[in-house]
């Protein structure tokens, strides 16, 4: 895959991740664990961001302290802290950057298929699907922030860092 296309994909995917990060950072502690489940919406988004970035989904294991609870359609056993989710977000951001950087035409056109075989996409398409999923949840979190604190982060036009670290 050509480097200019990789940079374009990163600019937009990275921007979506930063929008999610900004929403998490803006959420006041008193809104983190209410009936609106801000923390859980953020976790759900990060869990699937990580999962969809895993080229061999059958080998997916989230980093500690996270579990596979999302596959079981149950809430995690405990509320994750903002700090834990920001650490997970940084992990996912690096994983995303590394995947895009190493993307070859062969990887881009290989297939990503989940274990239940209900989702099967070329890798480049699951990247776009994943970016849309992140942006969807960032928008949900921004709506919750508007409804609860009458504030939300600004739009991020493109990733603040380039694909290739200087």
């Amino acid at each position: 895959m050509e480097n200019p296309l990789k940079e374009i994909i990163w600019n937009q995917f990275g921007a979506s991740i930063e929008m999610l990060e900004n929403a998490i950072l803006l959420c006041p502690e008193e809104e983190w664990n209410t009936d609106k489940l801000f923390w859980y919406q953020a976790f759900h988004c990060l869990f699937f961001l990580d999962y969809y970035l895993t080229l061999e989904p059958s080998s997916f294991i989230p980093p500690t302290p996270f579990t596979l609870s999302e596959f079981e359609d149950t809430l995690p056993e405990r509320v994750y802290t903002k700090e834990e989710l920001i650490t997970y977000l940084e992990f996912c951001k690096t994983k995303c950057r590394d995947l895009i950087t190493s993307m070859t035409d062969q990887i881009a056109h290989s297939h990503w298929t989940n274990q239940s075989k209900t989702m099967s996409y070329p890798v480049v398409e699951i990247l776009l699907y994943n970016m849309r999923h992140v942006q969807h949840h960032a928008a949900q979190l921004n709506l919750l922030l508007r409804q609860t604190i009458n504030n939300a982060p600004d739009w991020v036009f493109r990733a603040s860092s380039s694909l290739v670290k200087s």
Side-chain angles (χ1 to χ4, degrees), residues 51 113-119:
Y51 177 62
T113 304
N114 67 351
Q115 285 184 275
S116 65
K117 310 260 187 278
T118 56
M119 297 175 71

Side-chain angles (χ1 to χ4, degrees), residues 26-35 38 82 148-149:
L26 186 61
C27 183
E29 286 301 321
E30 61 271 12
E31 297 298 331
W32 189 251
N33 185 25
T34 66
D35 62 337
F38 190 99
K82 187 184 291 193
T148 57
I149 65 170

Side-chain angles (χ1 to χ4, degrees), residues 1-152:
M1 179 179 274
E2 294 183 30
N3 283 338
L5 183 56
K6 290 179 185 181
E7 192 71 41
I8 289 166
I9 292 170
W10 170 249
N11 283 340
Q12 295 307 308
F13 206 142
S16 293
I17 295 170
E18 287 178 29
M19 289 190 73
L20 175 64
E21 179 179 24
N22 293 343
I24 292 170
L25 290 172
L26 186 61
C27 183
E29 286 301 321
E30 61 271 12
E31 297 298 331
W32 189 251
N33 185 25
T34 66
D35 62 337
K36 293 179 178 26
L37 295 176
F38 190 99
W39 73 271
Y40 174 70
Q41 294 299 325
F43 166 69
H44 164 86
C45 183
L46 289 167
F47 179 92
F48 281 102
L49 170 60
D50 186 11
Y51 177 62
Y52 296 145
L53 290 171
T54 305
L55 293 180
E56 294 293 333
S58 62
S59 68
F60 174 72
I61 298 174
T64 305
F66 309 107
T67 68
L68 296 172
S69 61
E70 283 304 280
F71 291 149
E72 300 157 4
D73 287 329
T74 60
L75 286 173
E77 292 179 5
R78 68 176 179 85
V79 175
Y80 296 124
T81 67
K82 187 184 291 193
E83 293 75 22
E84 287 173 321
L85 294 189
I86 290 297
T87 299
Y88 197 13
L89 184 139
E90 290 301 326
F91 170 86
C92 291
K93 189 187 297 186
T94 299
K95 186 174 181 176
C96 184
R97 173 182 280 143
D98 290 349
L99 177 58
I100 294 169
T101 300
S102 66
M103 185 80 59
T104 62
D105 286 340
Q106 182 178 0
I107 292 170
H109 297 292
S110 65
H111 257 71
W112 182 97
T113 304
N114 67 351
Q115 285 184 275
S116 65
K117 310 260 187 278
T118 56
M119 297 175 71
S120 183
Y121 297 100
V123 167
V124 74
E125 187 173 355
I126 196 67
L127 270 178
L128 297 176
Y129 178 98
N130 197 356
M131 180 173 57
R132 289 179 48 239
H133 184 254
V134 170
Q135 191 60 48
H136 167 77
H137 284 289
Q140 283 183 322
L141 295 176
N142 284 337
L143 176 62
L144 287 175
L145 290 169
R146 280 273 175 228
Q147 291 172 338
T148 57
I149 65 170
N150 195 29
N151 195 6

